Amino acid sequence: MTTEGTFLPDVSLQGPRSVAHRVRLAFSAIRNSLTTLWSRTGVRSTVIDASVFLIAVLDVWLVVPDDAPTYSVYLSALSCGALLLRRWFPFTVLLLATPGFMAGWAQVAAMMALGFLATRKQTHWQVWVGAWLVWMCRFILWPLDEFVALSWQLHALDVIYSTVVAGMPLAIGLLIGARQQLATRLAELAASRDRERKLHAEMVRAEERTRLAREMHDVVSHNITLIAMQAGVLTAAAPGGEAERTARTVRELSTQTLEELRGLVGLLRSGSVDDDGPSPKVCEIPDLVQGCQVPVKLHLDTLPAHVPDQVSAAAYRTVQESLTNVRKHAPGATTVITVSADDEALHVEVRNDPPARAADSGPLPSGGYGLTGLAERARKLGGTVESAPTSDGGFCVTARYPVNTVDDTAEDAEPMETPTA
């Protein structure tokens, strides 16, 4: 099978450009892979926790002197190790980090613990207690005798530095937490607006369905009832003969139409989106052909054991609409209906000859919505409907409906034998 419109470039003329393009594609694939990997919560959390821990350890290792007391090294190590639990116990981690800051060298560990506590708790009392502890750890010099020996100028500088050390992680944590809360609220607001739009659309559709049901019941149903009553009067007034048979047919069709109309009105008022009411089957096509008053040749092959209800109804409606168009636009024309199936789809073809005579009562009104509706139904089921005039002046409607892509819970039916009409 050949595909037209396919262009294969000459690789020999695009050597350097082709290599550069492949390199860009490779870098793009690596970047997408890293982005996907980073977006996974577990990987991202592990990388962040490891980075925080390593930065805190590096801060202690760079500033601790060789002659540092052993207890200060242990307290600093405890402060760094406690950061691994900051996601679950933020306030406890801060309490464990402050001794390593006051009597040790873990200043960055305490600042990180305070920043994460502020991010999680925002203006909770634990945040202010933690900020005061970090401030005191930076202000008080260990051992205490050296702190007492400092001059007032150094104490004033320690107040400034302590405020910076405690205030910077506090401000960053509050900012990050507020940003997260704002993003969450914006997402909730967007979801709420989507729900409101959906509810409003449902309300508008429900009102429109109710209006259509009311109009169908009050206008169409009334007129069809009058037609059925007039046909009954005509049947009683002209017993025997062609007039009685025609009137009886009109009455039967009017009664059947009223029943279908009541079902449609019920569906509209119930607000059901799908066709949950009784629907015609493809096995009822022979009955439809017998009462259509059109010379028809029906070829109905053996169908699969299970045909979804929606596909079966679509095939029936295709034949029904095609026969209606033949009666309206090609009176007296011979029509050939072929219904067949394979492993994937149900096929329907309705082909009629040119009209044999002119319409008895002039052209009937037609809006062209019947074939449009068939096409829309087919697209919904994943199929196709095509219609076009034939070369001899007739018309042909061809439909294809997949039988394996429609979920249906109906029980399997027995295979239908080929009838003859």
Side-chain angles (χ1 to χ4, degrees):
M1 181 177 65
T2 60
T3 302
E4 298 184 2
T6 303
F7 174 72
L8 299 178
D10 187 359
V11 180
S12 61
L13 298 179
Q14 299 183 5
R17 292 178 59 186
S18 179
V19 172
H21 180 65
R22 287 197 294 268
V23 171
R24 286 196 298 269
L25 290 178
F27 276 109
S28 178
I30 294 175
R31 183 176 65 253
N32 294 336
S33 301
L34 294 177
T35 302
T36 303
L37 183 64
W38 177 255
S39 62
R40 297 179 180 178
T41 305
V43 175
R44 180 174 55 189
S45 301
T46 302
V47 172
I48 292 177
D49 291 343
S51 301
V52 169
F53 175 75
L54 292 177
I55 292 174
V57 172
L58 182 63
D59 172 66
V60 174
W61 180 68
L62 292 176
V63 299
V64 62
D66 296 335
D67 58 347
T70 304
Y71 70 88
S72 66
V73 177
Y74 286 144
L75 289 177
S76 300
L78 177 63
S79 299
C80 297
L83 290 177
L84 298 176
L85 304 176
R86 62 191 179 88
R87 295 184 182 275
W88 298 277
F89 312 102
F91 185 64
T92 303
V93 168
L94 180 61
L95 295 179
L96 294 175
T98 50
F101 183 15
M102 177 175 288
W105 315 95
Q107 174 176 332
V108 173
M111 294 175 65
M112 288 183 174
L114 175 59
F116 192 80
L117 178 63
T119 302
R120 293 286 298 274
K121 300 291 186 177
Q122 288 294 286
T123 56
H124 195 269
W125 63 269
Q126 295 178 357
V127 177
W128 305 116
V129 172
W132 177 78
L133 289 175
V134 173
W135 189 92
M136 292 296 295
C137 290
R138 177 60 182 82
F139 177 72
I140 298 176
L141 181 64
W142 190 266
L144 295 178
D145 54 352
E146 296 181 4
F147 171 72
V148 174
L150 295 176
S151 62
W152 69 270
Q153 293 92 342
L154 294 178
H155 281 304
L157 288 176
D158 285 340
V159 169
I160 297 175
Y161 293 150
S162 301
T163 303
V164 173
V165 169
M168 183 174 62
L170 177 64
I172 295 176
L174 292 176
L175 180 61
I176 295 176
R179 182 179 179 275
Q180 292 177 350
Q181 291 183 359
L182 179 60
T184 302
R185 292 179 180 177
L186 289 176
E188 293 176 352
L189 181 60
S192 177
R193 288 179 177 176
D194 290 339
R195 288 194 298 269
E196 290 180 359
R197 283 195 294 265
K198 291 180 180 178
L199 290 176
H200 177 70
E202 284 293 333
M203 183 175 61
V204 171
R205 284 195 293 266
E207 293 178 355
E208 185 65 16
R209 285 194 298 264
T210 302
R211 186 187 67 82
L212 290 175
R214 185 171 57 250
E215 294 295 330
M216 291 174 64
H217 180 271
D218 295 343
V219 179
V220 182
S221 178
H222 174 72
N223 293 336
I224 296 178
T225 302
L226 291 178
I227 294 173
M229 293 176 60
Q230 294 294 331
V233 173
L234 183 59
T235 302
E242 186 66 25
E244 180 188 8
R245 288 193 295 271
T246 303
R248 193 178 302 277
T249 301
V250 171
R251 182 175 178 82
E252 292 175 357
L253 292 176
S254 301
T255 304
Q256 181 181 357
T257 304
L258 280 174
E259 292 297 331
E260 294 183 356
L261 184 60
R262 291 192 185 96
L264 291 176
V265 170
L267 287 177
L268 288 173
R269 288 194 174 275
S270 65
S272 176
V273 178
D274 298 326
D275 294 333
D276 297 330
S279 58
K281 308 291 184 182
V282 67
C283 60
E284 301 176 11
I285 290 179
D287 298 333
L288 174 64
V289 169
Q290 291 178 0
C292 69
Q293 298 180 350
V294 172
V296 175
K297 296 179 181 179
L298 175 62
H299 303 283
L300 183 61
D301 295 343
T302 301
L303 300 179
H306 173 64
V307 178
D309 287 347
Q310 297 178 4
V311 172
S312 184
Y316 181 92
R317 295 302 185 191
T318 301
V319 176
Q320 184 183 45
E321 176 63 24
S322 300
L323 292 177
T324 300
N325 289 336
V326 171
R327 287 195 300 266
K328 291 167 59 176
H329 306 293
T334 302
T335 304
V336 179
I337 301 175
T338 304
V339 180
S340 60
D342 52 29
D343 296 336
E344 298 181 354
L346 180 67
H347 303 273
V348 179
E349 181 183 272
V350 182
R351 181 185 297 269
N352 64 273
D353 296 336
R357 64 177 188 274
D360 298 334
S361 58
L364 296 175
S366 175
Y369 300 117
L371 295 177
T372 302
L374 291 179
E376 293 174 351
R377 184 192 293 265
R379 283 195 299 269
K380 181 179 178 182
L381 298 176
T384 58
V385 171
E386 298 179 356
S387 59
T390 60
S391 58
D392 59 354
F395 201 80
C396 180
V397 177
T398 305
R400 179 186 180 276
Y401 300 104
V403 295
N404 297 324
T405 59
V406 180
D407 295 331
D408 189 77
T409 57
E411 298 181 355
D412 292 347
E414 295 296 331
M416 291 175 293
E417 300 298 331
T418 305
T420 305

